[in-house]
Amino acid sequence: MVSSNESDNACLIAIWVGPDLAGIGCWKRYTRLTHRPHANIEKVAVDPLYQGCGLGLQLTNQLISIAANAGIEMLTIDFRGDNERAAKLYKSLGFTEYGRLGIETVYILKKRQIY
């Protein structure tokens, strides 16, 4: 079961498998007026018991779809650079590496034309 709470400024999605909260995902629009068409995926997390079942893909696809419907033109996401599974997922969805932040093992991925 998928449940979501969304507005034009943010979205939170939860995926339930039976009584278990199996995963969550959320994005938040940038508040600066000149960046209003941009949003950041703040979190995509799947319970280890359910990893490898496609829930991360399902969550991320829904986040992208809801963002597009809210008028978001560009989504960014950052995550630990050593998280190879996340990098593979996001790249498969069309995100491209945009940069790295300092000495942190973090990528910034940007997806253009989300709709």
Side-chain angles (χ1 to χ4, degrees), residues 13-100:
I13 299 172
I15 293 184
W16 299 85
V17 176
D20 298 335
L21 176 59
I24 61 165
C26 64
W27 60 257
K28 183 178 177 186
R29 188 186 293 265
Y30 290 103
T31 56
R32 192 170 165 192
L33 187 59
T34 56
H35 293 156
R36 293 290 296 158
H38 302 180
N40 187 59
I41 295 177
E42 302 283 334
K43 180 67 70 181
V44 175
V46 176
D47 185 305
L49 292 173
Y50 297 101
Q51 290 178 358
C53 298
L55 296 182
L57 175 63
Q58 185 179 352
L59 281 167
T60 308
N61 271 328
Q62 288 190 336
L63 290 170
I64 292 168
S65 177
I66 294 168
N69 289 336
I72 300 297
E73 297 174 6
M74 186 177 301
L75 278 172
T76 57
I77 187 166
D78 58 292
F79 58 95
R80 289 182 51 98
D82 61 355
N83 189 341
E84 294 175 12
R85 290 177 76 176
K88 183 178 176 182
L89 169 67
Y90 303 135
K91 287 177 184 179
S92 78
L93 292 169
F95 286 81
T96 57
E97 183 176 335
Y98 181 70
R100 298 178 186 227

